[in-house]
Amino acid sequence: MQTFTVQRPAVQSPHGLVAAQNRHAAEAGAAVLSRGGNAMDAAIVTALVLSTVEPWLSGVGGGGFLVHADGRTGATETLDFNVRAAAGLDPADYPLTDGQSGNWFAWPAVIEERNVSGYSAICVPGAIAGFAAALARHGTLSWEEALQPAIEHAERGLEIDWFAALCIAIDAAGLSRDPAAAALLLDDGHPPKAGADTRRFKPMARKAALLRRLAKAGARDFYEGESARMIAADLEAGGSPIRISDLTAYEVAWAPALAGHYRDFDIAALPGLSGGPTLLDAASKLEGGPLSRETTPAQTALLYASAIREAYATRLTTLGHAATPQAGCTSHVSVVDRDGTMVSLTNTLLSRFGAKVALPHAGIFMNNGMMWFDPRPGQPNSIAAGQKPLANMCPLVLSRNGRPVLAIGAAGGRTIFPTVLQLISGLADFGLSLEETFHRPRIDASTPCIKIDARAQADVAATVATAFPVEIVEDTLYPVNFSIPSAVMAAPAGGFIGMAHPTSPWAAVVAATA
C-alpha cells in the first residue's frame, strides 16, 4: 500500500490573480490583467479558453452564473446566463421507466435516458450571451479581443496529455455514439493515448471558425444570425426540439445579489434557481449551532453533515433538484484585479461532455440541461417548456466592511455548495488560512450516504455514523467524490492570495505581473 500527500501552495500577487481548473486558461486571464484589463475582462477570457482546453467540463454550448463585486464601491451584481428548455418541448417526450415516485436524491430514470444524453437532453445555451453581456457591462476589452485566445487554442487544438486522455476515455462509449463527437476526440472509435515523449493536439477547426465568425459579427450572431441558423439546423437535424426562435428569444438576467452572512462575512450569491439560497440556508443552520474553534474535527463534520442535509431536504422538496447517477462537470473561475474588484464565475455543460453531442457544423459540445429538471410531473422543478431548471452552481463573493474580500466557487454538481460552505467555515470558524482550508479533509452530504475523506481523523466517520450512513472515500480524480473549488482572497497584509483544488492536476492560480 502506498500513501501520497498532495500539497499545493497558495499564490500571492499585488496585481491580481486568476484561479481556474486549467493552467492555459488561467494564464490567458492573468495576461489580460497584466495588460491593464480588469477582473471581468480576465474572467471572460478565462472562461472562453476553458471551453476549448477542457471541453468535458464547460463550454459555449452550456450556461452559467456569475457574481461581480466592485473593489472601490463594494457594489455587487449577479448575472444568470443559465440554459433554458425549448419553447416547443413536450414533457410527454420524457416518460419514466417505471412508476416509482423517486426520492430526494434519485429521481426515476427516463426511457432511453432522453434527459441525460443525446439531442433530446439539450437546452438552449446561454454562455455566449452571458459572456458578451458581462463584458459589455463591466469589462474594458472588446468582444473580438476577448475571443482571440480561445480562437488560438481551438486552432491549435486540445492537448492530449495523460489527464485529457483519461477524461476522454471515461466517456469514450458515450462519445462514440455521436459521429461528430467521435470524429473530434476519438482515434478510430477509441480513446486517444498520450505518449510520454509526445505532444498531440486535436484541432477544433469548426469551433475556431464559429468563434472567428462571432468575433466579427458579434455575440448575437450566435442567437439570431448566420451562426444561429447553422446551430439551429444542426439541432433540428439531430432531433432536438430547439429552433432558431428559441435562440433568438434567449436573454440573460442581471439581478441584485442575494444577500446573506456568515460570522463576519457578508455573502453575495445568485438568487433564484442556483445553489445560493441553499448554501445560505445551510450557513444559517451552522451559524446557529454550537460550532466554535474548540469543536473537534469529528464534531465539526457531524455539524456540517446535519446542516447540509437539512438544507438539502428543503431544497429538494420545495425547489426540486436533478440528482442522477452522473456527477456534474463544471468549470469555476475566481478573479481579482489590482483594484480589488472580484468576479466569481461558474460555467457548465452539466455532465461530463454534456449531452455527449458535438454539433457537426458548429463544432461545439452541447449541454444536457434537461437533466436538471425533475422528470416527475407535478413537482416544483418538473420538465416544462421554456423554463430554466434548478441548478447546482454556487459562485459567491464575500465581503467585510463593504468591500469584497473573497471570490469563491466550485465545480462538481450537487457537491458544490457543501464544499464551498466548509471552505468558508474553515476561514470564519477556525481562523485557517486559504491554503490551510483548501487542504483540510472534507465531507460530502449531498446524498443519503455521507462521504468522508479518507484523510480525516479516525473518529470522524464514527461520529458522523451515529446519525447518518457513511462511506469513507479517497479524494480521487475519478470518480470525483468532492467538488473542485477555486478562490481568490484579499490578503491580510495587503495584496491578494489564491488557491486551486490541490489534487486537480491542471488547476492553477496565475498571478498578474503588472
Side-chain angles (χ1 to χ4, degrees), residues 391-466:
N392 298 304
M393 296 174 286
C394 191
L396 304 174
V397 173
L398 278 64
S399 300
R400 285 195 186 111
N401 302 317
R403 293 294 182 271
V405 295
L406 176 70
I408 189 168
R414 64 191 179 198
T415 68
I416 291 175
F417 104 74
T419 284
V420 174
L421 178 66
Q422 290 170 78
L423 293 173
I424 293 171
S425 173
L427 298 169
D429 292 310
F430 297 98
L432 300 177
S433 68
L434 193 62
E435 183 174 333
E436 289 170 333
T437 196
F438 263 66
H439 285 92
R440 189 173 63 145
R442 302 195 302 266
I443 70 165
D444 179 63
S446 66
T447 62
C449 186
I450 309 298
K451 292 182 178 180
I452 310 291
D453 191 323
R455 298 176 300 131
Q457 294 184 9
D459 61 342
V460 169
T463 301
V464 176
T466 62

Side-chain angles (χ1 to χ4, degrees), residues 111 136 342 382 397 401:
I111 288 176
M342 294 186 175
S382 292
V397 173
N401 302 317

